[in-house]
């Protein structure tokens, strides 16, 4: 089962545009992110928000993600455990309501977390990207929307895909501070 209808004209569909090149999409301007979120919510996506600006340690991240996605008490609070828990999220055992169109994990202020825990921040995006691909195999849609207050932020490819800017902000000139 394909996550999108191959017969449909998908050019105006925000979710398709977000997922076509990468499962992780960067946002700088919060109003652009808010527009994408509003569209996703109007189309029955579960939008799960996390405030990454507050995370100064890997432990902060793990506490927040475990609470937000209702991970079981035995969650190991490390990247291997995150990988395992995301398998269960994709299976919709917890953290993702089955009746929704898809799951959008929104990370606000991710540049702050990246400043403190760069390798972990990169690994988290890679884990989400990997599980987005797995979700697609089951006809499900999982995406990461990453807001950064740093318009020049860059990440290595995740899940063998680049981390790209959204289509409203991809030209560098649109992210320059006035």
């Amino acid at each position: 089962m394909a996550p999108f209808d191959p017969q449909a004209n998908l050019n105006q569909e925000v979710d398709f545009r977000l997922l076509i090149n990468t499962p992780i999409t960067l946002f700088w301007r919060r109003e652009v992110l808010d527009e994408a979120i509003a569209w996703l919510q109007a189309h029955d996506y579960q939008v799960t928000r996390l405030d990454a600006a507050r995370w100064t340690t890997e432990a902060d991240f793990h506490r927040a993600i475990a609470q937000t996605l209702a991970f079981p008490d035995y969650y190991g609070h490390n990247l291997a455990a995150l990988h395992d828990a995301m398998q269960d999220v994709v299976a919709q055992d917890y953290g993702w309501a089955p009746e929704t169109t898809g799951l959008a994990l929104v990370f606000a202020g991710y540049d702050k977390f990246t400043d403190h825990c760069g390798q972990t921040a990169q690994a988290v995006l890679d884990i989400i990207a990997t599980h987005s691909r797995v979700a697609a195999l089951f006809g499900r849609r999982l995406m990461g929307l990453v807001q950064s207050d740093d318009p020049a932020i860059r990440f290595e490819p995740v899940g063998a895909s680049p981390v790209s800017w959204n289509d409203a902000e991809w030209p560098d000139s649109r992210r320059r501070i006035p």
Side-chain angles (χ1 to χ4, degrees), residues 86-116:
M86 287 304 297
Q87 289 175 336
D88 295 336
V89 170
V90 167
Q92 298 176 327
D93 292 339
Y94 46 79
W96 184 349
E99 68 277 1
T100 60
T101 302
L103 173 61
L105 296 175
V106 179
F107 297 94
Y110 206 71
D111 53 300
K112 305 295 188 286
F113 179 49
T114 301
D115 288 346
H116 293 286

Side-chain angles (χ1 to χ4, degrees), residues 1-174:
M1 174 166 131
F4 291 94
D5 179 357
Q7 305 301 318
N9 178 359
L10 298 168
N11 293 331
Q12 299 304 311
E13 304 298 316
V14 171
D15 53 355
F16 183 78
R17 291 192 340 255
L18 289 170
L19 283 167
I20 191 160
N21 294 317
T22 180
I24 307 294
T25 304
L26 295 172
F27 290 83
W28 174 52
R29 291 180 292 162
R30 289 181 189 255
E31 63 270 14
V32 174
L33 175 61
D34 290 343
E35 288 172 16
I37 289 170
W39 189 96
L40 292 169
Q41 289 174 323
H43 290 83
D44 298 322
Y45 273 82
Q46 176 181 325
V47 175
T48 300
R49 299 174 193 239
L50 295 116
D51 185 1
R54 296 174 180 232
W55 307 333
T56 59
T57 66
E58 183 175 337
D60 292 338
F61 161 77
H62 287 290
R63 274 191 298 277
I65 195 90
Q67 179 181 15
T68 302
L69 292 178
F71 288 174
D73 291 339
Y74 59 82
Y75 174 65
H77 294 265
N78 59 59
L79 293 173
L82 176 65
H83 176 76
D84 292 345
M86 287 304 297
Q87 289 175 336
D88 295 336
V89 170
V90 167
Q92 298 176 327
D93 292 339
Y94 46 79
W96 184 349
E99 68 277 1
T100 60
T101 302
L103 173 61
L105 296 175
V106 179
F107 297 94
Y110 206 71
D111 53 300
K112 305 295 188 286
F113 179 49
T114 301
D115 288 346
H116 293 286
C117 303
Q119 289 181 327
T120 299
Q122 176 73 39
V124 166
L125 298 183
D126 193 58
I127 290 167
I128 293 168
T130 297
H131 288 286
S132 176
R133 187 172 49 251
V134 172
L137 294 173
F138 296 102
R140 299 181 182 138
R141 304 172 193 173
L142 169 63
M143 67 185 76
L145 308 182
V146 178
Q147 187 279 325
S148 170
D149 292 324
D150 176 0
I153 198 166
R154 299 275 189 262
F155 293 97
E156 294 298 316
V158 294
S161 298
V163 176
S164 302
W165 287 94
N166 66 85
D167 56 359
E169 295 181 313
W170 70 266
D172 284 346
S173 64
R174 297 239 178 115

